[in-house]
Amino acid sequence: MKKPAILAAVLATTLLATPARADDFPAAISVSGEASVSVAPDLAQIDAGVANDAKTAKEASDANNAAMGKVLLALKGAGIAEKDYQTSRLSLQPQYGQNKSTGASPVTGFRASNRVTVKIRDVTKVATIIDTLVSAGANDIGNISFEVTQASKLLDDAREQAVADARRKAEVYAKATGVTLGSPLSISEGSAPMPLFKGRMAQEPMARVSAAVAPGEETLSVTVNVSWAIKAGQ
């Protein structure tokens, strides 16, 4: 009657006494390598708009449509392709005053606004395009950002440097622990390029003066995670 219990105890002792095979878990050193490259952006994006106030909603809307029409014509005249500008916001809002005697807030007029996002594929023309927008009647210049459109391709040199950095680190660990570095077992990339800059310009009526714009450079970074096989030192 006690044989099943005795058999279970023998099996448990056998499993505990059996060591895991070394080749089930290959010996390895896992490290991360990093590298970066600085490049000039090749695409700019700006946000511009017009706002108009009037006594009635129709008057405000009509004036705004006419004003934005001039802005769009100016963009086309400056060589911006139609696919590179797009309406990003359109609004018509009542404006309220205050009646001190009654405390009410009557509608005193309406404000119509229309915003357009513009892509500029030649960053040397950003200042010129801003001047064109302002001259055409845009009274609200908003966000401006710069990007590198071929970031992944430009990162190829940095990827090679990152792998070399990972090997350098792995060799340091291998030497410190008395083992020899073998072939890489796995490689994975752990980062992606980010836009250089995104800022906000003052939302105020702008005088017709030349805009000063500095695109600068973008630093693209990459990280690779590499596991290297190791063997006993020679």
Side-chain angles (χ1 to χ4, degrees):
M1 298 295 292
K2 296 182 179 181
K3 287 184 178 181
I6 294 173
L7 180 59
V10 171
L11 288 174
T13 303
T14 302
L15 290 173
L16 290 172
T18 304
R21 293 174 55 190
D23 56 358
D24 288 342
F25 304 97
I29 293 176
S30 298
V31 294
S32 295
E34 301 172 340
S36 61
V37 59
S38 295
V39 296
D42 59 354
L43 176 69
Q45 185 167 289
I46 60 176
D47 190 41
V50 292
N52 298 88
D53 296 326
K55 289 293 185 181
T56 68
K58 186 177 186 307
E59 289 174 342
S61 181
D62 288 346
N64 192 250
N65 288 337
M68 180 51 77
K70 292 179 181 179
V71 170
L72 297 182
L73 283 176
L75 286 173
K76 186 175 182 180
I80 303 297
E82 290 187 10
K83 66 177 183 178
D84 286 336
Y85 54 87
Q86 182 181 50
T87 299
S88 56
R89 183 168 179 264
L90 184 65
S91 70
L92 178 63
Q93 299 290 335
Q95 303 297 295
Y96 298 95
Q98 185 173 5
N99 189 319
K100 294 183 179 180
S101 61
T102 64
S105 299
V107 174
T108 59
F110 291 84
R111 167 166 288 192
S113 62
N114 192 339
R115 302 192 65 79
V116 62
T117 299
V118 186
K119 290 183 179 179
I120 305 173
R121 300 186 184 277
D122 182 352
V123 295
T124 64
K125 295 182 178 180
V126 173
T128 300
I129 297 301
I130 291 176
D131 290 341
T132 297
L133 289 166
V134 174
S135 297
N139 53 14
D140 187 355
I141 306 296
N143 289 328
I144 178 170
S145 62
F146 296 94
E147 300 175 23
V148 176
T149 59
Q150 300 295 322
S152 183
K153 182 178 180 180
L154 293 170
L155 273 174
D156 286 348
D157 287 342
R159 290 185 173 100
E160 292 183 9
Q161 296 171 25
V163 172
D165 183 49
R167 173 176 279 278
R168 178 189 62 79
K169 293 177 181 177
E171 288 175 344
V172 171
Y173 287 119
K175 182 178 179 181
T177 55
V179 297
T180 300
L181 204 63
S183 301
L185 299 173
S186 66
I187 302 176
S188 63
E189 187 170 310
S191 66
M194 298 297 290
L196 164 70
F197 169 77
K198 204 167 199 178
R200 187 73 179 172
M201 299 177 67
Q203 290 189 337
E204 297 177 359
M206 300 181 65
R208 295 189 180 183
V209 296
S210 296
V213 178
E217 284 190 339
E218 181 173 355
T219 298
L220 305 176
S221 299
V222 65
T223 300
V224 294
N225 305 305
V226 187
S227 291
W228 307 83
I230 57 174
K231 52 187 176 180
Q234 300 292 323

